[in-house]
Amino acid sequence: MKYLAAVLALTLSSLPALAEPMSAAEFEAYVTGKTLYYGNDGVAYGAEIYHENRRVTWSFLDGNCKEGYWYEAEPANICFVYEDRTDTQCWTFERTGRGLRATFTSDPDTTELYEAQDLGEELICLGPKVGV
């Protein structure tokens, strides 16, 4: 019985704790000055540069970058507005052992999880397309 209790205690202590969504202050302290690369199921999705004053630059890693900003709409709900969209993109962010996990909250029917990493790499943004 003591052996079973010890195994159970060891198993429970090794389980990851449920992460709480980050507040705006926690999120800002974590991301400012970083470039985070996001993926879904091991596939690259996009990257975002987090500038001072809650400004951001987003790319789907295709060389096209969109400027925007973020704000806290309600506790633990971080929303982004980009130059090419009229709708707001809202997420909750949680710290995990691997970085951030972002959960899309703007549309409950299409909630998706993304892992985030700071790879220390520069995001490449191509200039505007010109020509005929």
Side-chain angles (χ1 to χ4, degrees), residues 63-100:
N64 296 315
C65 294
K66 304 297 179 186
E67 300 299 320
Y69 64 92
W70 67 268
Y71 64 94
E72 186 175 40
E74 57 189 56
N77 201 12
I78 308 295
C79 297
F80 296 80
V81 177
Y82 297 98
E83 64 186 345
D84 66 333
R85 299 185 69 121
T86 57
D87 59 332
T88 303
Q89 308 290 308
C90 295
W91 303 79
T92 58
F93 290 87
E94 300 168 341
R95 286 185 80 160
T96 71
R98 296 176 168 178
L100 294 182

Side-chain angles (χ1 to χ4, degrees), residues 1-119:
M1 187 66 158
K2 286 183 184 181
Y3 177 75
L4 180 59
V7 170
L8 183 59
L10 184 60
T11 302
L12 291 176
S13 67
S14 66
L15 292 175
L18 294 177
E20 291 291 321
M22 298 172 82
S23 69
E26 292 169 325
F27 179 73
E28 186 169 27
Y30 184 88
V31 301
T32 301
K34 293 181 180 178
T35 300
L36 299 182
Y37 288 78
Y38 291 87
N40 185 10
D41 292 329
V43 178
Y45 182 79
E48 191 146 48
I49 303 170
Y50 295 89
H51 306 285
E52 295 287 331
N53 300 318
R54 299 183 173 185
R55 292 177 309 104
V56 295
T57 304
W58 168 261
S59 175
F60 283 106
L61 303 176
D62 58 0
N64 296 315
C65 294
K66 304 297 179 186
E67 300 299 320
Y69 64 92
W70 67 268
Y71 64 94
E72 186 175 40
E74 57 189 56
N77 201 12
I78 308 295
C79 297
F80 296 80
V81 177
Y82 297 98
E83 64 186 345
D84 66 333
R85 299 185 69 121
T86 57
D87 59 332
T88 303
Q89 308 290 308
C90 295
W91 303 79
T92 58
F93 290 87
E94 300 168 341
R95 286 185 80 160
T96 71
R98 296 176 168 178
L100 294 182
R101 177 174 49 230
T103 305
F104 190 58
T105 60
S106 288
D107 183 353
D109 294 332
T110 59
T111 300
E112 296 180 69
L113 299 178
Y114 298 90
E115 294 295 322
Q117 295 179 27
D118 180 8
L119 300 177

